[in-house]
C-alpha cells in the first residue's frame, strides 16, 4: 500500500510556499558580492585541502559491543551510534563525493576509508536534511537491504523513497515532534537554522536537528545550523545532553547565518547544556575556503579556553559517551 505523505502546508514552519527558519536568516551576509565569492571559490588556497592522506582508525563496526553509547565518525557529518546492540546511522555519505556528479566535491584522500559494506545492520537511519553532503542516494541504496527504519525531516521522505526504500519504513518529523522508537529509545526533531534543496528550488523540505534518548543517555544530533536562539530553547526543553554533535566547519562570513563559526559551536554546546562536544562537518569535503584543519583548531582552542570537554577523534576512532574524551591533535602533520 502506498504511503500517504504528510501535508507540508499543515506545518506551522511552512509559510509563503516554503519552510522558514525561526529567525530572519538570509542566505548571504549583507554586502556580500556573489561575483567575488564565485571567483574566490574557483581559486581556492592550497591549504583548503590536506597536503597528504588523512590518518584513520580501522574499527570493526559489526563487532561493536557497549552498554554506553559509542560514536564512530566517518568524516564530515556521517557517524554511527551504537548502544546495547542497537545501531543508528546518521547522514551517511560514503560514496566518495557530495554532489550529483562524482567528479565534484570529492572526498579528501584517506577520508573515505569506510564504505557501505563496512556498516553493520542498521536499526534506524536518521537523515537531517536533503543536501548532497547529508543525503547520499548511492549510500542509501546500498544500505537499504540492511536498514530497518528511516527518520527524517518533513518532505525529505520522498528523497529517501527514491532510493528504492519502502515508503512504509520512512517517518517524517516536524520540529518538536517525538517518536518512540522502542521502550528505551526516543527521537525528537528540533529546530535548526539552515535551508534545504538539491537543485535550484529551496525550502521545499524541512531541515532539523534531533535529540536522541537512548538507554538513559541524551545525544544531540546537530545536522547543519547557523548559530541562533534555538540552541538555548532546545537546551531548556531537552537538556542537559551527554554529548552534542555539532558542525564546526565549512563556514564563511559570507554565509554566517546558515553555518556556525567554530567559536559559536562551543557556545551552542553550552546553550544545549552539553557535558561534551563532538565537532563534525569537517575533514572530508571542501565546501568553503578556510584551511581544511582550521575548524578543529579554532573549535578546540575555544573549547579548552571555556572549559568545555571536547572529543576530537580520528575518522573511525570510537568515542564512548560518559568517558574521558579523546583529545589528540592528529590533524597537525
Amino acid at each position: 500500500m502506498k504511503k500517504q505523505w504528510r501535508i507540508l502546508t499543515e506545518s506551522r514552519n511552512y509559510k509563503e510556499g516554503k519552510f522558514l527558519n525561526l529567525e530572519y536568516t538570509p542566505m548571504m551576509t549583507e554586502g556580500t558580492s556573489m561575483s567575488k565569492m564565485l571567483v574566490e571559490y574557483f581559486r581556492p588556497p592550497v591549504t583548503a585541502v590536506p597536503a597528504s592522506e588523512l590518518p584513520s582508525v580501522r574499527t570493526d563496526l559489526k563487532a561493536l559491543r557497549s552498554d554506553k553509547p559509542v560514536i564512530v565518525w566517518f568524516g564530515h557529518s556521517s557517524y554511527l551510534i551504537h548502544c546495547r546492540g542497537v545501531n543508528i546511522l546518521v547522514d551517511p555519505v560514503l560514496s566518495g563525493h557530495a554532489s550529483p556528479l562524482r567528479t565534484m566535491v570529492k572526498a579528501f584522500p584517506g577520508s573515505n576509508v569506510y564504505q557501505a559494506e563496512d556498516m553493520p545492520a542498521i536499526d534506524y537511519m536518521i537523515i537531517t536534511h536533503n543536501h548532497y553532503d547529508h543525503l547520499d542516494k548511492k549510500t542509501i541504496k546500498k544500505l537499504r537491504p540492511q536498514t530497518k527504519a528511516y527518520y527524517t525531516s518533513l518532505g525529505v521522505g520522498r528523497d529517501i523513497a527514491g532510493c528504492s526504500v519502502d515508503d512504509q519504513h520512512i517517518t517524517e518529523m516536524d520540529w518538536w515532534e517525538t517518536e518512540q522508537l522502542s521502550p528505551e529509545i526516543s527521537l525528537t526533531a528540533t529546530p535548526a537554522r539552515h535551508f534545504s534543496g538539491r537543485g535550484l528550488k529551496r525550502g521545499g523540505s524541512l531541515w532539523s536537528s534531533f535529540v536522541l534518548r537512548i538507554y538513559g543517555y541524551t545525544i544531540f544530533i546537530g545536522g547543519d545550523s547557523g548559530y541562533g536562539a534555538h540552541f538555548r530553547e532546545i537546551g531548556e526543553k531537552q537538556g542537559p545532553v551527554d554529548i552534542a554533535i555539532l558542525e564546526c566547519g565549512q563556514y564563511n562570513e559570507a554565509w554566517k547565518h546558515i553555518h556556525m563559526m567554530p567559536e559559536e559551536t562551543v557556545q551552542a554546546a553550552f546553550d544545549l547544556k552539553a557535558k561534551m562536544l563532538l565537532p563534525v562537518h569537517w575533514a572530508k569535503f571542501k565546501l568553503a575556503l578556510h584551511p581544511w584543519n582550521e575548524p578543529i583548531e579554532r573549535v578546540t582552542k575555544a573549547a579548552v579556553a571555556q572549559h568545555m570537554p571536547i572529543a576530537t577523534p580520528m575518522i573511525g576512532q570510537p568515542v564512548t559517551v560518559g568517558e574521558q574524551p579523546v583529545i589528540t591533535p592528529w590533524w597537525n602533520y
Side-chain angles (χ1 to χ4, degrees):
M1 189 173 82
K2 196 72 174 175
K3 183 185 182 75
Q4 293 296 313
W5 295 108
R6 295 180 59 175
I7 301 173
L8 304 184
T9 54
E10 293 181 351
S11 170
R12 61 182 178 180
N13 304 303
Y14 192 93
K15 301 174 183 177
E16 302 170 9
K18 60 183 179 181
F19 285 98
L20 299 176
N21 285 290
L22 295 176
E23 56 188 293
Y24 175 62
T25 306
M27 290 293 298
M28 307 301 296
T29 306
E30 186 177 353
T32 298
S33 167
M34 180 63 74
S35 59
K36 180 182 177 182
M37 191 180 73
L38 286 172
V39 169
E40 291 176 343
Y41 184 81
F42 287 106
R43 295 179 182 174
V46 295
T47 55
V49 298
S52 58
E53 186 171 303
L54 297 185
S56 62
V57 172
R58 195 67 193 173
T59 297
D60 185 350
L61 305 174
K62 299 173 183 178
L64 286 173
R65 299 289 184 274
S66 176
D67 287 336
K68 297 179 179 179
V70 172
I71 302 169
V72 182
W73 174 58
F74 308 120
H76 203 63
S77 292
S78 304
Y79 47 89
L80 178 73
I81 302 171
H82 169 88
C83 188
R84 302 187 187 182
V86 175
N87 292 309
I88 300 170
L89 188 60
V90 178
D91 288 353
V93 180
L94 307 174
S95 63
H97 60 93
S99 67
L101 301 175
R102 63 169 55 192
T103 56
M104 298 174 60
V105 195
K106 297 174 69 175
F108 298 153
S111 69
N112 204 44
V113 293
Y114 284 87
Q115 305 294 314
E117 292 75 17
D118 298 310
M119 297 299 115
I122 305 301
D123 296 281
Y124 312 105
M125 183 182 291
I126 297 171
I127 303 293
T128 60
H129 63 296
N130 74 348
H131 282 160
Y132 289 101
D133 59 322
H134 292 259
L135 192 159
D136 178 16
K137 290 190 173 183
K138 290 181 180 179
T139 299
I140 293 175
K141 286 179 180 178
K142 286 184 177 181
L143 292 173
R144 181 187 57 79
Q146 67 204 70
T147 305
K148 296 178 182 177
Y150 305 77
Y151 289 83
T152 192
S153 307
L154 277 180
V156 183
R158 293 167 179 81
D159 288 309
I160 298 174
C163 302
S164 301
V165 173
D166 188 335
D167 297 358
Q168 304 301 321
H169 296 158
I170 304 169
T171 300
E172 294 184 325
M173 301 174 68
D174 202 351
W175 293 342
W176 302 117
E177 291 181 345
T178 298
E179 292 287 338
Q180 198 69 38
L181 278 56
S182 75
E184 298 289 341
I185 305 173
S186 68
L187 186 69
T188 300
T190 44
R193 191 183 185 193
H194 199 53
F195 69 108
S196 65
R198 292 176 73 85
L200 296 177
K201 182 182 177 182
R202 292 172 176 165
S205 60
L206 191 59
W207 48 94
S208 303
S209 57
F210 291 88
V211 175
L212 172 68
R213 300 186 187 278
I214 180 166
Y215 294 108
Y217 294 87
T218 303
I219 299 173
F220 182 74
I221 297 169
D224 279 359
S225 181
Y227 183 73
H230 60 286
F231 286 116
R232 184 174 294 275
E233 182 181 11
I234 295 168
E236 291 172 351
K237 291 182 177 180
Q238 297 286 323
V241 302
D242 292 288
I243 190 166
I245 308 173
L246 291 164
E247 66 155 80
C248 77
Q250 315 320 312
Y251 49 80
N252 191 305
E253 285 291 340
W255 57 78
K256 65 179 182 180
H257 300 298
I258 56 173
H259 282 295
M260 288 185 284
M261 298 295 169
E263 294 76 18
E264 292 176 318
T265 300
V266 176
Q267 183 57 54
F270 278 111
D271 292 350
L272 292 164
K273 303 179 183 179
K275 299 175 185 177
M276 184 187 298
L277 167 63
L278 174 58
V280 298
H281 208 254
W282 72 285
K284 190 163 189 175
F285 303 116
K286 179 182 73 63
L287 298 171
L289 301 176
H290 55 64
W292 78 273
N293 57 356
E294 182 184 277
I296 194 64
E297 290 180 344
R298 285 177 60 174
V299 74
T300 300
K301 181 179 179 181
V304 171
Q306 298 181 54
H307 306 289
M308 167 59 68
I310 184 170
T312 59
M314 282 188 281
I315 289 173
Q317 185 175 12
V319 172
T320 301
V321 178
E323 295 188 359
Q324 185 69 24
V326 177
I327 305 179
T328 307
W330 59 265
W331 53 88
N332 293 327
Y333 67 94

